[in-house]
Each structure stands twice: as structure tokens, then as C-alpha cells.
Amino acid sequence: MAAEDGVEVVGEAGDGLEAVRLARELRPDVVLMDIRMPGVDGLEATRRLAGPGVEDPLRVVVVTTFDLDEYVHAALNGGAVGFLLKDAGPALLVEAVRSAARGDALVSPRITVRLLRHFSAAPPAAEDGGLTARELDIVRAVARGLTNTEVARELFVTVSTVKTHLASVQAKLGARNRVEVAAWAYRNGHAA
């Protein structure tokens, strides 16, 4: 990872408490967090760095060998903006770091498919969350996994406009990131 252009490792921790301390001290753009660590596990460390109620949360990407739905759920609810399996490979890991640094989210494709099946199996409600028609367009595009640039191109607007609408959507829905916006879309019948 250190050899990647534009990616610099600024710290490493041997346990969860040290990871939280170092991350708060160094304030990296992105924190890579393992689930299994001595002392405080990675899920609790993620909650402490990015969870609900955390002032100025960090962007955390959980990287693990454990492909368990309860870990995915706990990590994303704990504020993680990404969840990767270690076997996803170095290219996807670098893309997850870059996505998180941009404010986007990335979840391993294998896990994404399971999440989408879960949400699409739930009966869609007729809830619009108070979103405007344009905001719903943005939500549908995010639920399809499009980046801000791709959404802008598809909807013939600027990236800045997409970001503005997405911030409004997140505020209205109480969503902390794109993953939660996409989950809301699937739960409420707004995924294309």
C-alpha cells in the first residue's frame, strides 16, 4: 500500500485501543481497521472513531477475513464507510482507500450482492423520506453504485450539484454515508 501513488501509511497499531489513540492523534484521511484485534476489537474501535455521536468522525474502512453478515452490519452501523474482505486483492483495497478519502463508500462486491438481496427481499414501502424528485434520482443512482461523477454525467448536472443533493438526502434520511442511502433506497422501493 505504501508504494501506491498518493497513499501514505502514517501509523500502525497492534491493538484496538492503540488504533483509536493513534487515529485520533494523527487524524489520517482514512483508517484501515481489522475486526479481530487484542483488547478492543475493530468493530468497537470503529464505533469510537466514526460511530453515531462522534464529533468529527474519521473515515474507517474495515478489512477482514471474516465474511459474516453480523460483522458487516455492525461495521456499517458503527460508521464504517467501507467493508472489504482481505481476499479482495490490493487493487480493490487501494480503491476503497481512495473512495473513502473522496467521501464515497466501497463494500466488497460479494458482500454488496448479499446486502442488495436482503434489502430487495423486504417488501418496499411507499416512503419517499421527504425527498424531492431530483433527490430521489440521486438516491436511485447511488443505489446502483454510481460514483458522484457518474451520477453527474447521467443526470446532466455538475459533481458539485450531486454532492449538494446527496448532503441534503443524507440529512433528511439521517444517513451517515452512501451505503446507508443505498440501503434506504432498497428498503423503500427506490432502487432501480
Side-chain angles (χ1 to χ4, degrees):
M1 174 83 76
E4 281 298 318
D5 221 12
V7 177
E8 177 186 354
V9 176
V10 297
E12 292 184 46
D15 63 57
L17 284 176
E18 184 183 11
V20 171
R21 183 189 61 75
L22 272 176
R24 286 179 175 159
E25 177 184 315
L26 299 173
R27 301 290 306 164
D29 295 328
V30 178
V31 174
L32 294 178
M33 187 73 69
D34 197 350
I35 287 180
R36 294 256 173 111
M37 293 189 295
V40 172
D41 70 18
L43 296 172
E44 176 59 26
T46 297
R47 276 190 294 278
R48 291 180 186 187
L49 294 172
V54 172
E55 272 189 50
D56 199 17
L58 291 165
R59 294 181 181 122
V60 178
V61 174
V62 173
V63 185
T64 185
T65 57
F66 303 100
D67 184 9
L68 300 172
D69 288 346
E70 52 268 24
Y71 285 163
V72 176
H73 185 265
L76 297 177
N77 280 339
V81 296
F83 192 98
L84 288 180
L85 299 173
K86 287 183 180 176
D87 67 2
L92 195 57
L93 179 61
V94 170
E95 180 53 33
V97 168
R98 290 192 171 132
S99 292
R102 287 191 309 264
D104 293 335
L106 194 146
V107 176
S108 283
R110 188 165 78 207
I111 293 170
T112 301
V113 169
R114 277 202 328 262
L115 287 172
L116 296 181
R117 281 190 190 132
H118 169 75
F119 288 121
S120 63
E127 174 64 41
D128 71 3
L131 304 180
T132 66
R134 184 50 109 187
E135 288 169 342
L136 285 170
D137 291 340
I138 301 284
V139 166
R140 287 183 195 100
V142 166
R144 290 190 353 253
L146 299 184
T147 65
N148 288 348
T149 302
E150 292 166 336
V151 173
R153 198 174 310 126
E154 182 174 290
L155 298 179
F156 304 103
V157 297
T158 66
V159 172
S160 175
T161 299
V162 172
K163 288 179 180 179
T164 299
H165 282 305
L166 196 50
S168 175
V169 165
Q170 286 178 228
K172 287 179 180 180
L173 300 180
R176 291 179 304 230
N177 54 49
R178 298 170 77 89
V179 173
E180 290 183 6
V181 169
W184 179 89
Y186 275 87
R187 278 194 310 271
N188 291 286
H190 293 290

